[in-house]
Each structure stands twice: as C-alpha cells, then as structure tokens.
Amino acid sequence: MFATTIEHLRKFVERVFELTVRSTSSRSRSQPGRYNRHITLAVEACSEAIHRHLQEFLKWCSSKEEDICKATGGIDTSITVSLLGLEMAIRGRFSQSFDNLLDIVRQVMRQTSRAQDQDAEVWQLVDLPAYAPPASISALLLDSLLDRARRMVDMNDKTTHETLMHTFIATSEPLWTMIGQWLHDGMPIQASGDKREVPTYSSHKDEYII
C-alpha cells in the first residue's frame, strides 16, 4: 500500500512536469498550444515540493539498503533485517506524510474537474479540463494543505505536520511573489487616448491601481 502511494505521487509529479514543459514550449514558439488550467503556479510548486519529499524518501531507502547489505554480509551484526521492522522504520520516519499528500492532491483534482470516472487516479485527473478558475484551484489546494496540517497537530503527528507545512509554504511562494509584484507595481491600466492600449502603471508613489 505504501509503495502504491509513492508510485501515484511519482506519476503525478512526472505528469505535472510534462504538461508544464509542453505549455512553456508552446508559448516560446508563439503557438497557442493546449493550456491545462489545472496546472496553476500553486499546483506546479506543490508538485515540486512533493518531488523533494520523494527524493528524501529515496535517499532514506538507499541508506537502509546499505544497512541491510552490511547485515547480510556479516559486517554489522547489530542490525536485524525483517519486513515488519522495515515497515515500522518507514512509518517512524515518514509517518502518514505521503498518504496525506496523495489524498489532498487527489481531492483537489477531483473537486475541480468533471471526471466521469470516479476511480481515475490523480495523474489522470491532471489531464482533464478544469471547470474551476485557476485562482480557485490554487486556493483550494492551499486551504486543504493548511487544514490537514492543523489536523495533524490535533493528532500529535509532528512528522506529517512538518511535511504538510513545508509543502504549504512551497506551494504559496509563487502567489506571495505575485502579490508582492502587484503591490509594488500596481495593476496595468490603459493609457487614455492611446489607441495601441499600451499597459501603464500608476505613477503615484503611495497609490496603486488595484
């Protein structure tokens, strides 16, 4: 079950990356391309954060594999190798982090798409057209991460809470950057009498067109 969860998250990350690269490539060639509204900046940042957690898990697995090789080779006899012990070690290190991450992204994708197949997996849902505005998708994702992190505090699951908060912060960074630029530059407006509709900004130091 744990291995299935990891595989689903890995496929989700790979699919988001593929769609992001395809969209970027289409824009660079001045082609309209197919823009998938599920891939907002927040979803992309969340995918990158999940990828970092998966890489951390792989490093941990490599370390455990080294320990098992030492034990089976008689180099380190203090290690007892067993499937139950390995499962307990995984849960002790990562707790319910990956289960919650998968559940969150799956729920967000399903709530924002018109999926006919209710059993469709998360990486398949990413490809479906979204009926919710991009801002709503990002807001739902951030709300879900924060709400679940708070629940982990109530359950005294510090490990999962830290993972979800790390993901929440990484997911929100692109939005905070955009808000900072918006507050600094203001909203683009049409210059009066300019038929070319060249975007300009409010030049008043203390006022911004919002």
Side-chain angles (χ1 to χ4, degrees):
M1 186 65 181
F2 185 83
T4 302
T5 298
I6 294 295
E7 180 65 10
H8 286 182
L9 286 172
R10 184 185 64 80
K11 288 185 176 181
F12 168 75
V13 170
E14 289 179 350
R15 192 57 187 153
V16 170
F17 177 75
E18 289 172 1
L19 292 173
T20 301
V21 170
R22 184 184 304 173
S23 176
T24 303
S25 177
S26 297
R27 289 197 300 269
S28 65
R29 295 195 304 266
S30 299
Q31 296 178 357
R34 179 186 174 189
Y35 176 65
N36 192 303
R37 296 174 65 191
H38 266 128
I39 312 302
T40 66
L41 287 176
V43 172
E44 186 179 348
C46 180
S47 174
E48 292 175 358
I50 292 174
H51 175 69
R52 288 193 290 270
H53 292 308
L54 291 175
Q55 290 300 111
E56 182 182 352
F57 171 70
L58 290 177
K59 290 179 181 179
W60 183 87
C61 287
S62 297
S63 175
K64 280 296 177 182
E65 183 180 6
E66 183 180 352
D67 292 340
I68 292 173
C69 289
K70 289 180 179 179
T72 54
I75 299 175
D76 189 348
T77 57
S78 64
I79 301 175
T80 303
V81 180
S82 69
L83 291 177
L84 179 60
L86 181 60
E87 181 180 358
M88 292 178 62
I90 291 174
R91 291 302 179 184
R93 174 63 182 82
F94 299 98
S95 190
Q96 303 293 321
S97 298
F98 295 112
D99 294 328
N100 279 275
L101 286 172
L102 177 60
D103 187 51
I104 289 169
V105 293
R106 181 188 284 147
Q107 287 186 16
V108 170
M109 294 296 106
R110 283 184 177 166
Q111 289 181 36
T112 56
S113 65
R114 294 189 176 93
Q116 298 296 324
D117 183 5
Q118 295 300 318
D119 295 326
E121 267 311 327
V122 63
W123 71 87
Q124 298 169 325
L125 295 169
V126 173
D127 281 301
L128 297 178
Y131 74 86
S136 297
I137 297 174
S138 298
L140 179 59
L141 178 58
L142 288 169
D143 288 344
S144 300
L145 286 167
L146 186 59
D147 179 67
R148 191 68 62 89
R150 288 171 175 170
R151 271 194 268 171
M152 292 302 107
V153 173
D154 296 336
M155 296 173 62
N156 199 28
D157 190 340
K158 183 178 179 181
T159 300
T160 303
H161 170 262
E162 290 180 350
T163 300
L164 293 176
M165 284 304 302
H166 174 272
T167 308
F168 170 81
I169 292 170
T171 302
S172 64
E173 282 181 355
L175 299 181
W176 281 116
T177 300
M178 292 176 63
I179 291 173
Q181 293 175 349
W182 175 50
L183 292 175
H184 182 270
D185 299 327
M187 290 285 289
I189 59 175
Q190 178 182 343
S192 58
D194 191 343
K195 296 181 180 180
R196 295 176 300 172
E197 298 185 0
V198 178
T200 59
Y201 294 87
S202 172
S203 60
H204 196 291
K205 183 177 180 180
D206 299 318
E207 291 183 9
Y208 296 99
I209 308 299
I210 300 177

